Amino acid sequence: MEPPSGPSPGPYDYDLLVIGGGSGGLAVAKEAAGLRKKVLILDLAAPSPRGTMRVLGGSSLNVDNVRKFLHHSALLGEAFHGTENFGWKTKEHVSHRWMELMEAVKEQMKTRSEELRRELKRSGVFYLNARGEIVAPHTVEVTEMSGRKRQLTAETLVIATGERPQCLGIPGDEFCITSEDLLSLLYPPGKTLVVGGSAEGLECAGFMVGLGMPIFVMLQPDLLPGSDKKIAQKIENFMMNNGVTFLYHCSLKKVEEFEDSASGHEKAAQHQASKKRIRVTFTNKDNQTKEEDFDTVILAVGKKACTEDIGLESVGVQCRQETGKILVNERDQTTVDHIYAIGSVQHGRPATTGLSVHVGMLLAHRLYRGDSLLCDYTNVPSVVLTPLEYAACGLSEEKANLTFGEDNVEVYHNYYWPLEWELPARNKNSAYVQVVCHIPDKERVVGLHILGPNAGDILQGFVAAMKCGLTKEQLDATVGIHPGSAQVLTSLTQTQRMSEALMMRGNC
């Protein structure tokens, strides 16, 4: 809904002005408008360096959806290999068409963006596809697509501009793409190097190898930084068995683009005409210089908050220089009382789409409904859509040991074989669960980790139980659903200590 023209009847043009149209910004805006406040969202997302356009909803809502589609596409391909065990006979060779998948994804994103605009209109939120820059404590300069500038005022400002993938700053960066670019690439990426072992990098590697492409991952520096190392190792082993090649202790030095008259990988017609390939120069663990040619190089080396050039420094909002993330208190308030920040621009907080939506709703309730409820960041669930899906809530084993001391932590775990994997005899002893308990607190569950099909959906209900103080005794007293994978969590008896003792005994 376009904002009205003409003078405002009150001291400000708006009660609330949100800079950024991601999941958190949309949530706080719609909730505030529902409480009869006058709200404006400004959202002008510039394209990526490779020209990938961004639409309303931000990278969280849109990229989350796309990565789920591509993950599912790869799983469908894997499922075809076991269909005969379930009685299905395919008449012809099964192959994947990347361009058709990308066209369907592009259409879905367009439809989703249009629906979001309709939701804003129904909610009474004013929206401008425009850039916002804070020029005074309550004043934002708005630059529209046409170049027209004007100044608008608001009693309260919310920064929800999200974050973007970073580059490495090496020669040839411009020939690489990010995970964001990959999700709208119109030609098959072919032989691909993924630089970085982050969740987004592993997700890209996982679904591409599932679609039949040769994939290499150059870890910089580690696999799933911040995650439990044992679980990260299990994901790595599974991906290696699926065909991903990992390059260890390597450092990327230079990337070059060159003409290749005999490229052996299928590309779309417009790309095939140029026959461009990528030559990568890197050093290995022995400091030897190596070269390797790829069709695509993806940088997945972290993200930086989109907080530059929006005027934060002009009003005294403090950010961390290295990440651009904004310092906030427990009320999501910046160092300026009437300016708030939510979502992935917050410093020191987890960043997930679900969390951003939750935080946005709570902020609107505190501002305009008189609530005092703050967000609880202790049990924020997350999911990584690697070929072996990983969902987690709470502390890892390592963080629990650091927090409470090893003697006060018990870790129950077990492998399981999902029923749908049994007939095709697929991936036995790969799916895994781990429950981390704090012994002095009646073995309260402080961490829960699942590796396996639909791990995120399995975890969701247990997250609610953890918020209510779930203990191991209560978990054991829960009746499991059979047949089903989640029942493994209700009958765990093996502990990490027992497993380590058996391993030591076996090594003697």
Side-chain angles (χ1 to χ4, degrees):
M1 184 164 58
E2 288 288 329
S5 56
S8 173
Y12 301 105
D13 297 316
Y14 295 92
D15 298 304
L16 177 68
L17 191 153
V18 181
I19 302 178
S23 53
L26 293 174
V28 69
K30 289 190 288 187
E31 202 69 17
L35 295 170
R36 305 183 69 81
K37 298 301 174 181
K38 188 178 179 184
V39 182
L40 172 66
I41 285 184
L42 299 176
D43 182 51
L44 179 60
S48 76
R50 291 299 294 259
T52 300
M53 299 302 296
R54 299 176 173 98
V55 295
L56 182 63
S59 61
S60 53
L61 280 176
N62 293 306
V63 173
D64 283 355
N65 288 353
V66 175
R67 67 192 182 104
K68 181 72 172 181
F69 294 147
L70 300 186
H71 174 65
H72 188 62
S73 178
L75 293 181
L76 286 173
E78 182 184 20
F80 274 118
H81 298 302
T83 54
E84 291 189 2
N85 299 86
F86 289 95
W88 290 97
K89 301 292 182 184
T90 53
K91 292 183 179 180
E92 56 186 50
H93 174 69
V94 175
S95 62
H96 185 267
R97 293 178 175 85
W98 176 274
M99 290 178 64
E100 293 181 13
L101 172 62
M102 288 296 106
E103 286 296 333
V105 165
K106 184 179 178 181
E107 190 61 33
Q108 192 277 339
M109 288 181 67
K110 180 182 176 183
T111 301
R112 176 62 176 149
S113 181
E114 291 171 352
E115 176 57 30
L116 286 174
R117 292 192 187 208
R118 288 193 290 269
E119 283 182 25
L120 292 179
K121 188 173 183 179
R122 288 194 297 267
S123 302
V125 176
F126 296 104
Y127 165 75
L128 272 179
N129 186 18
R131 179 179 174 273
E133 180 181 353
I134 304 171
V135 293
H138 291 272
T139 304
V140 175
E141 183 174 81
V142 177
T143 305
E144 299 183 28
M145 294 281 287
S146 62
R148 176 193 174 200
K149 293 180 182 288
R150 55 175 158 154
Q151 292 190 351
L152 297 173
T153 60
E155 183 177 13
T156 302
L157 303 178
V158 172
I159 310 301
T161 45
E163 56 187 358
R164 290 185 186 172
Q166 292 189 92
C167 292
L168 282 173
I170 60 170
D173 255 359
E174 66 271 19
F175 303 124
C176 304
I177 65 173
T178 67
S179 58
E180 194 174 37
D181 300 313
L182 175 68
L183 301 183
S184 60
L185 201 64
L186 292 181
Y187 55 85
K191 181 183 176 183
T192 299
L193 173 67
V194 178
V195 183
S198 63
E200 60 177 324
L202 294 183
E203 287 182 347
C204 291
F207 70 68
M208 284 190 294
V209 80
L211 298 179
M213 298 168 202
I215 303 300
F216 297 75
V217 175
M218 183 181 290
L219 300 179
Q220 292 199 339
D222 299 314
L223 191 79
L224 288 178
S227 296
D228 185 278
K229 290 183 179 178
K230 292 176 184 175
I231 289 179
Q233 183 70 56
K234 295 179 192 302
I235 294 173
E236 180 183 14
N237 290 341
F238 190 89
M239 293 183 69
M240 287 175 65
N241 290 334
N242 274 27
V244 175
T245 300
F246 285 90
L247 305 176
Y248 302 98
H249 310 294
C250 294
S251 179
L252 193 63
K253 297 300 181 183
K254 183 173 63 174
V255 178
E256 301 169 279
E257 191 175 64
F258 68 97
E259 299 285 341
D260 182 16
S261 59
S263 178
H265 298 286
E266 179 190 359
K267 296 181 178 71
Q270 68 270 25
H271 186 72
Q272 198 172 26
S274 65
K275 297 185 176 67
K276 297 281 178 96
R277 297 197 79 201
I278 307 294
R279 179 159 293 151
V280 168
T281 303
F282 62 95
T283 55
N284 62 16
K285 63 179 179 180
D286 299 319
N287 207 31
Q288 297 173 320
T289 299
K290 301 284 186 180
E291 288 185 347
E292 182 83 25
D293 294 345
F294 296 91
D295 295 303
T296 305
V297 176
I298 298 171
L299 299 181
V301 290
K303 296 182 177 182
K304 188 169 184 178
C306 301
T307 54
E308 293 181 356
D309 303 323
I310 60 172
L312 298 181
E313 66 285 346
S314 69
V315 290
V317 173
Q318 293 183 10
C319 302
R320 289 296 294 262
Q321 187 174 358
E322 61 274 19
T323 62
K325 296 205 171 189
I326 300 171
L327 302 180
V328 294
N329 62 17
E330 72 281 357
R331 298 177 59 81
D332 307 307
Q333 210 167 21
T334 71
T335 46
V336 178
D337 288 350
H338 67 280
I339 301 178
Y340 296 79
I342 58 176
S344 55
V345 295
Q346 292 184 336
H347 170 70
R349 300 264 173 84
T352 71
T353 299
L355 179 62
S356 296
V357 171
H358 184 64
V359 169
M361 293 178 66
L362 290 180
L363 175 57
H365 292 168
R366 289 196 301 272
L367 288 172
Y368 304 121
R369 208 171 69 177
D371 290 3
S372 58
L373 185 63
L374 302 175
C375 183
D376 177 10
Y377 291 94
T378 56
N379 286 313
V380 177
S382 63
V383 64
V384 183
L385 298 177
T386 40
L388 187 65
E389 192 171 316
Y390 171 42
C393 182
L395 301 177
S396 66
E397 177 186 358
E398 293 169 345
K399 288 183 180 177
N401 287 337
L402 286 172
T403 303
F404 303 116
E406 289 188 33
D407 292 340
N408 294 318
V409 175
E410 192 72 271
V411 180
Y412 296 87
H413 70 141
N414 204 0
Y415 290 95
Y416 68 99
W417 203 12
L419 194 62
E420 59 268 35
W421 287 2
E422 288 189 23
L423 274 185
R426 184 191 303 152
N427 303 320
K428 191 172 184 179
N429 292 328
S430 294
Y432 175 80
V433 294
Q434 184 188 81
V435 177
V436 184
C437 299
H438 184 210
I439 297 172
D441 193 9
K442 298 181 179 179
E443 283 201 318
R444 180 171 59 89
V445 177
V446 293
L448 205 155
H449 306 263
I450 303 172
L451 286 169
N454 306 303
D457 291 330
I458 292 173
L459 181 68
Q460 185 67 73
F462 291 101
V463 175
M466 288 176 67
K467 300 286 276 188
C468 297
L470 176 69
T471 65
K472 180 63 168 59
E473 183 180 12
Q474 291 170 332
L475 196 56
D476 292 341
T478 302
V479 176
I481 297 175
H482 183 83
S485 295
Q487 64 178 326
V488 67
L489 288 160
T490 67
S491 57
L492 294 174
T493 57
Q494 184 88 354
T495 69
Q496 198 75 261
R497 286 189 178 91
M498 293 164 60
S499 299
E500 290 170 357
L502 286 171
M503 288 176 64
M504 290 182 64
R505 199 175 304 164
N507 290 333
C508 293

